[in-house]
């Protein structure tokens, strides 16, 4: 059932066979999957997609796998929520939250890319899978590897949230933390991939892995009734998801599944790790690496592999990008939780905080249909906000004590009996 024909270098166009390869031998450009769009156009329709289970495999013709997948049977197809209360508060009527806080099974967008990468790893016959991760990728690889019955090694920088360490080790994965930042981890993992021959989902399986991110965009279009929004705000870490959402929209147009619409695609980074936004604001293609320092650890990548393609996709779409300070990120996490009942991790706070800035700048207009990407769950990053919420009140198990507390809390105006 495969519709992939080859891998191709994004820079020089050289063709490669469909194997665990990721860089071009001649120019070191990244390799990308090539599909037979003519056959996909003939095979795929709204009706066929809508008849399938509510998971990311409903778009399987546009994903780089050969066989009927059984990894990630419940991954993807997360809610697109019309955020009416948040929208009223910030002044956008058609505001939508694409909610990957409830992605199955590890509560982040990474369940998409990993479902595809591990399916491909099995098809290539690997017995050990691995990754260089800022945390969410780790938990996704560990969980999906467990279900696939594969051995799993996880590499993370020291200092990641404990939820991400425990949340990986629980699945039986070996967790190794590295004294250094994500970019140090990534460099080491490239060496290990070469020497040990493991499937590193985001290194030697990267061309396949990254394609899984398109499903975020496919779902937005389908959930808006096969229409594209006016603006989408997307967080940028290594730079996978943003260009792949742009690609998803383009593919749907090319094969005739959506008409018109040219969404502005906006990038969001944390101020403590914003190399792509700095380059965007300077008007250059040159991304100067930074040393990350932010509570948004899952998107703290100082030297993003695909940052260049983020700049290209943002500019081509007429979008923009902004950064948010840690304080703005925490405020946005609280705003989303208070208005919509969604608890995002700092990456989600970043996208919402940036949405507010773009709105204030007039880059997003109040009458637009706007999608804010919430890519990870706050339950994994309690450290980031535990000091920013009201601490619990402690009383004895006596009604008098509660009466006194309630009077204090309600400013002494109302007493028991009145609701
Ligand atoms: C990995 C990740 C992203 C996006 O990362 P890219 O490398 O740019 O695709 C966004 N949000 C969360 C929560 C993540 O874990
Ligand atoms: Zn090349």
């Amino acid at each position: 059932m495969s519709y992939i024909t080859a891998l191709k270098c994004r820079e020089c166009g050289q063709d490669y066979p469909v194997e665990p390869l990721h860089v071009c031998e001649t120019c070191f450009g990244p390799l990308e999957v090539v599909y037979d769009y003519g056959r996909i156009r003939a095979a795929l329709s709204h009706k066929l997609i809508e008849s399938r289970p509510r998971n990311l495999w409903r778009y399987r013709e546009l994903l780089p796998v050969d066989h009927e997948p059984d990894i990630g049977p419940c991954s993807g197809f997360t809610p697109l929520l019309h955020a009416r209360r948040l929208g009223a508060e910030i002044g956008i009527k058609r505001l939508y939250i694409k909610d990957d806080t409830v992605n199955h099974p590890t509560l982040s967008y990474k369940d998409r890319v990993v479902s595809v990468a591990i399916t491909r790893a099995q098809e290539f016959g690997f017995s050990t899978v691995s990754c260089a991760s800022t945390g969410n990728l780790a938990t996704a690889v560990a969980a999906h590897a467990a279900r696939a019955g594969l051995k799993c090694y996880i590499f993370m920088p020291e200092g990641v949230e404990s939820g991400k360490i425990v949340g990986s080790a629980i699945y039986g994965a070996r967790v190794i933390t590295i004294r250094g930042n994500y970019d140090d981890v990534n460099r080491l993992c490239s060496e290990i991939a070469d020497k040990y021959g493991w499937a590193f989902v985001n290194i030697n399986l990267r061309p396949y892995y990254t394609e899984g991110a398109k499903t975020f965009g496919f779902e937005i279009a389908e959930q808006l009734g096969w229409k594209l929004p006016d603006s989408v705000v997307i967080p940028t870490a290594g730079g996978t998801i943003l260009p792949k959402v742009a690609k998803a929209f383009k593919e749907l147009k090319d094969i005739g599944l959506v008409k018109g619409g040219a969404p502005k695609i906006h990038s969001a980074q944390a101020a403590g790790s914003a190399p792509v936004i700095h380059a965007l604001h300077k008007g250059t293609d040159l991304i100067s690496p930074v040393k990350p320092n932010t509570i948004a650890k899952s998107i703290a990548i100082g030297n993003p592999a695909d940052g260049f393609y983020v700049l290209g996709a943002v500019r081509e779409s007429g979008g923009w990008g902004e950064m948010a300070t840690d304080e703005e990120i925490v405020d946005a996490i609280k705003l989303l939780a208070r208005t919509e009942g969604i608890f995002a991790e700092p990456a989600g706070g970043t996208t919402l905080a940036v949405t507010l800035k773009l709105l204030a700048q007039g880059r997003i207009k109040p009458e637009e249909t706007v999608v804010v990407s919430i890519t990870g769950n706050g339950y994994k990053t309690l450290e980031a906000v535990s000091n920013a919420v009201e601490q619990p009140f402690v009383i004895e198990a006596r009604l008098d004590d509660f009466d006194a507390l309630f009077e204090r809390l309600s400013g002494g105006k109302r007493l028991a009996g009145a609701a």
Side-chain angles (χ1 to χ4, degrees):
M1 66 160 264
S2 182
Y3 293 83
I4 337 171
T5 56
L7 297 180
K8 194 187 222 20
C9 173
R10 268 194 86 147
E11 294 306 321
C12 75
Q14 187 170 329
D15 278 336
Y16 288 86
V18 180
E19 281 170 17
L21 300 169
H22 69 296
V23 278
C24 177
E25 282 166 8
T26 22
C27 79
F28 300 106
L31 303 186
E32 244 201 341
V33 173
V34 181
Y35 297 89
D36 182 343
Y37 287 113
R39 276 177 57 225
I40 296 175
R41 188 182 240 277
L44 210 50
S45 64
H46 293 158
K47 215 167 132 211
L48 178 62
I49 293 169
E50 287 163 6
S51 74
R52 288 176 170 165
R54 297 166 139 261
N55 63 38
L56 57 84
W57 298 115
R58 60 208 266 119
Y59 315 102
R60 69 185 71 137
E61 285 82 354
L62 291 160
L63 295 172
V65 297
D66 284 341
H67 306 104
E68 192 72 17
D70 68 350
I71 304 300
C74 302
S75 299
F77 218 74
T78 57
L80 181 76
L81 199 85
H82 188 179
R84 289 191 179 84
R85 276 172 42 78
L86 175 60
E89 189 149 331
I90 71 177
I92 303 175
K93 255 217 180 89
R94 290 193 305 277
L95 179 69
Y96 292 85
I97 302 293
K98 180 61 176 163
D99 186 9
D100 267 15
T101 67
V102 290
N103 212 339
H104 186 275
T106 63
L107 310 180
S108 90
Y109 126 81
K110 296 299 196 301
D111 286 314
R112 302 173 180 280
V113 278
V114 170
S115 296
V116 173
I118 299 226
T119 299
R120 199 68 232 190
Q122 280 189 316
E123 290 178 347
F124 285 139
F126 284 100
S127 55
T128 301
V129 292
S130 188
C131 67
S133 174
T134 55
N136 283 322
L137 181 58
T139 59
V141 170
H144 290 275
R147 212 184 130 81
L150 299 172
K151 288 193 279 286
C152 182
Y153 287 80
I154 299 293
F155 297 86
M156 286 187 274
E158 63 181 352
V160 297
E161 301 92 344
S162 64
K164 290 171 179 169
I165 293 177
V166 178
S168 304
I170 195 72
Y171 301 108
R174 281 261 143 79
V175 177
I176 297 134
T177 63
I178 310 293
R179 292 189 196 100
N181 59 31
Y182 175 81
D183 302 292
D184 300 317
V185 176
N186 202 35
R187 210 172 331 104
L188 173 66
C189 286
S190 293
E191 290 172 12
I192 297 173
D194 283 346
K195 177 156 180 185
Y196 288 78
W198 296 343
F200 275 77
V201 299
N202 56 339
I203 300 176
N204 48 7
L205 294 187
R206 193 167 179 86
Y208 310 95
Y209 160 91
T210 54
E211 285 288 288
K214 291 189 305 189
T215 61
F216 196 87
F218 295 150
E219 291 172 17
I220 290 172
E222 180 179 352
Q223 290 166 321
L224 287 174
W226 298 110
K227 288 202 187 79
L228 300 180
D230 300 308
S231 273
V232 190
V233 189
I234 301 177
T236 294
T240 296
I241 183 172
L242 190 147
K244 290 293 174 171
V245 168
K247 182 177 179 186
F249 292 159
K250 183 174 181 307
E251 284 182 340
L252 291 180
K253 276 199 223 175
D254 288 351
I255 62 173
L257 292 181
V258 297
K259 286 200 181 53
K264 290 178 284 182
I265 303 184
H266 308 281
S267 165
Q269 293 202 294
S273 182
V276 174
I277 301 302
H278 291 310
L280 182 72
H281 288 186
K282 272 197 222 144
T284 170
D285 270 345
L286 223 66
I287 296 176
S288 311
V290 301
K291 278 228 178 315
N293 178 19
T294 168
I295 57 164
K297 294 179 197 279
S298 64
I299 52 169
I301 295 184
N303 190 13
D306 290 325
F308 174 77
Y309 299 110
V310 172
L311 290 172
V314 165
R315 286 178 181 140
E316 193 179 324
S317 77
W320 190 238
E322 275 300 337
M323 53 192 151
T325 65
D326 285 358
E327 198 184 342
E328 290 166 335
I329 291 169
V330 170
D331 286 347
I333 292 173
K334 291 170 77 174
L335 173 64
L336 179 63
R338 175 168 67 69
T339 54
E340 297 295 336
I342 295 172
F343 184 10
E345 71 142 89
T350 306
T351 18
L352 179 54
V354 163
T355 304
L356 299 179
K357 288 195 178 175
L358 295 171
L359 184 66
Q361 294 171 356
R363 306 233 182 215
I364 290 176
K365 304 262 187 313
E367 64 276 13
E368 290 182 4
T369 297
V370 179
V371 175
V372 177
S373 309
I374 302 296
T375 47
N377 194 306
Y379 289 113
K380 276 198 229 168
T381 56
L382 293 175
E383 293 95 320
V385 290
S386 54
N387 291 324
V389 295
E390 188 173 82
Q391 301 306 304
F393 301 93
V394 183
I395 60 172
E396 301 300 326
R398 278 195 304 256
L399 188 56
D400 279 355
D401 276 26
F402 179 72
D403 288 344
L405 173 66
F406 185 68
E407 190 174 355
R408 188 154 65 81
L409 293 179
S410 51
K413 277 189 301 230
R414 269 289 181 221
L415 268 185

